């Protein structure tokens, strides 16, 4: 009797335990698992869509508010020069990175002239596709001349447009910064091949010196490479770069020279207002650059 009681319930249990599953059955995900993956994927796409819509709505609202607000007049030259002298620090070289679809030529002209009044000797305009360089004579220069007359009047002010930034800029005494002397600024018109080309040229010069025996290969380091770049361009590295546009990327702007550059985003208002420019330079003055220490 005890034997029959033990065998009865044990037989189906043994059969169930001895059942072997195929590899396809083990690899096939369960319906619940597939459903969870689908839900997670839909949730991520929904969050991305909501975030994108929120950014678009915020940008549209800001543009409408600034469009209908009263636009203040640019201060006179003497006030702008005084603001420049009050800055905690100012960059010797100011970079402008264009990452927006449409170019506001008045904004570029104003940044160049305001920088000149602040005592900034070097300005570089970077556009990845070279639109600024292509439109320098037909677009940028007429805007510069019109805005220069409005701001500087009879005060001498010279703007030199340089392709690639290979030529030296003004000397230290080429700008008085007090509103009563000669103002001069060099403007480099850059696009994507310029940064890469400078690095290739510097590397070739170092290789030639090693091949001729003038330099040892083990003496080359990143500091020497940087010196080669600066010696070839005769321009200081940009200490501050102002980014115009909503794209969160630099799109190839001088990759080596950018290593110590502070990058600040300009407001989307076009044309850019003087107060926005002054706030950016004031914010730069409050940044402590530790240089990796």
């Amino acid at each position: 009797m005890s034997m029959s009681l033990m065998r009865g319930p044990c037989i189906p249990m043994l059969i169930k335990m001895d059942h072997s599953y195929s590899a396809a059955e083990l690899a096939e995900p369960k319906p619940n698992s597939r459903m969870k993956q689908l839900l997670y994927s839909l949730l991520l796409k929904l969050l991305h869509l909501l975030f994108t819509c929120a950014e678009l709505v915020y940008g549209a609202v800001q543009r409408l508010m600034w469009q209908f607000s009263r636009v203040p007049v640019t201060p006179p030259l003497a006030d702008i020069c005084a603001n420049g002298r009050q800055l905690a620090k100012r960059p010797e070289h100011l970079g402008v990175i264009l990452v927006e679809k449409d170019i506001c030529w008045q904004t570029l002209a104003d940044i160049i002239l305001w920088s000149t009044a602040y005592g900034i000797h070097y300005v570089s305009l970077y556009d990845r596709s070279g639109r600024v360089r292509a439109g320098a004579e037909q677009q940028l220069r007429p805007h510069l001349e019109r805005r220069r007359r409005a701001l500087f009047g009879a005060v001498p002010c010279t703007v030199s447009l340089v392709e690639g930034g290979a030529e030296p800029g003004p000397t230290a005494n080429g700008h008085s910064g007090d509103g009563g002397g000669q103002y001069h600024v060099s403007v480099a018109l850059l696009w994507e091949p310029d940064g890469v080309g400078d690095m290739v040229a510097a590397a070739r010069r170092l290789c030639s010196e090693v091949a001729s025996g003038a330099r040892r290969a083990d003496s080359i380091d990143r500091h020497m490479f940087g010196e080669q770049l600066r010696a070839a361009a005769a321009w200081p590295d940009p200490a501050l770069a102002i980014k115009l546009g909503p794209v969160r990327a630099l799109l190839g702007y001088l990759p080596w020279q950018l290593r110590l550059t502070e990058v600040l985003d300009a407001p989307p208002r076009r044309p850019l207002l003087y107060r926005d420019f002054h706030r950016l330079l004031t914010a730069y003055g409050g940044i402590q650059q530790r240089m990796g220490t």
Side-chain angles (χ1 to χ4, degrees), residues 167-232:
E167 298 180 8
T171 59
N173 58 1
H175 176 302
S176 66
D178 57 4
Q182 174 75 31
Y183 291 84
H184 185 88
V185 63
S186 288
V187 181
L189 308 177
L190 306 175
W191 66 315
E192 189 172 21
D194 288 327
V196 178
D198 291 342
M199 296 175 66
V200 172
R204 286 177 175 172
R205 285 192 298 272
L206 289 174
C207 291
S208 299
E209 293 177 1
V210 172
S212 64
R215 189 185 300 274
R216 294 175 51 187
D218 56 4
S219 66
I220 300 176
D221 55 15
R222 60 186 181 90
H223 299 291
M224 183 178 297
F225 188 75
E227 291 175 359
Q228 286 285 331
L229 284 173
R230 286 188 291 272

Side-chain angles (χ1 to χ4, degrees), residues 77-90 117-119 175-180 183 274 278:
L77 178 61
D79 293 347
I80 295 179
C81 292
N83 291 339
R85 291 192 297 268
Q86 293 171 1
L87 294 174
K89 61 178 179 179
R90 57 188 175 187
Y118 274 17
H175 176 302
S176 66
D178 57 4
Y183 291 84
Y274 170 74
H278 181 63

Side-chain angles (χ1 to χ4, degrees), residues 39-54:
L39 290 176
Y40 290 151
S41 177
L42 292 175
L43 180 60
L44 289 175
K45 291 180 179 179
L46 178 61
L47 290 175
H48 182 269
L49 177 62
L50 292 175
F51 181 76
T52 303
C53 292

Side-chain angles (χ1 to χ4, degrees), residues 66-289:
W66 289 326
Q67 182 177 357
F68 291 104
S69 62
R70 182 177 180 270
V71 179
V73 179
T74 301
L77 178 61
D79 293 347
I80 295 179
C81 292
N83 291 339
R85 291 192 297 268
Q86 293 171 1
L87 294 174
K89 61 178 179 179
R90 57 188 175 187
E92 186 178 3
H93 176 184
L94 172 66
V96 180
I97 306 173
L98 281 82
V99 291
E100 52 191 0
K101 182 178 180 181
D102 299 321
I103 298 177
C104 180
W105 297 99
Q106 179 179 330
T107 294
L108 298 183
D110 285 340
I111 290 177
I112 292 171
L113 296 174
W114 295 335
S115 300
T116 308
Y118 274 17
I120 299 173
H121 304 301
Y122 305 89
V123 176
S124 58
L125 307 180
Y126 175 82
D127 174 68
R128 185 178 191 178
S129 58
R131 295 176 297 168
V132 175
R133 182 179 296 188
E137 295 300 326
Q138 299 297 326
Q139 298 289 343
L140 181 58
R141 196 175 289 279
H143 280 83
L144 277 170
E145 181 59 26
R146 182 168 62 253
R147 303 298 289 176
R148 185 198 63 79
R149 289 197 301 266
L151 178 61
F152 287 86
V155 178
C157 176
T158 305
V159 178
S160 300
L161 301 181
V162 179
E163 291 189 1
E167 298 180 8
T171 59
N173 58 1
H175 176 302
S176 66
D178 57 4
Q182 174 75 31
Y183 291 84
H184 185 88
V185 63
S186 288
V187 181
L189 308 177
L190 306 175
W191 66 315
E192 189 172 21
D194 288 327
V196 178
D198 291 342
M199 296 175 66
V200 172
R204 286 177 175 172
R205 285 192 298 272
L206 289 174
C207 291
S208 299
E209 293 177 1
V210 172
S212 64
R215 189 185 300 274
R216 294 175 51 187
D218 56 4
S219 66
I220 300 176
D221 55 15
R222 60 186 181 90
H223 299 291
M224 183 178 297
F225 188 75
E227 291 175 359
Q228 286 285 331
L229 284 173
R230 286 188 291 272
W235 279 50
D237 291 342
L240 170 64
I242 297 176
K243 186 164 68 69
L244 303 177
V247 179
R248 296 176 180 176
L250 302 180
L251 303 182
Y253 174 76
L254 301 179
W256 183 267
Q257 293 88 337
L258 194 67
R259 65 193 188 280
L260 299 178
T261 304
E262 297 292 338
V263 181
L264 300 179
D265 290 302
R269 180 190 351 245
R270 298 294 177 270
L272 190 71
L273 301 182
Y274 170 74
R275 68 185 184 194
D276 297 327
F277 176 79
H278 181 63
R279 287 171 182 169
L280 290 170
L281 270 292
T282 302
Y284 166 75
I287 296 175
Q288 294 184 358
Q289 295 176 299

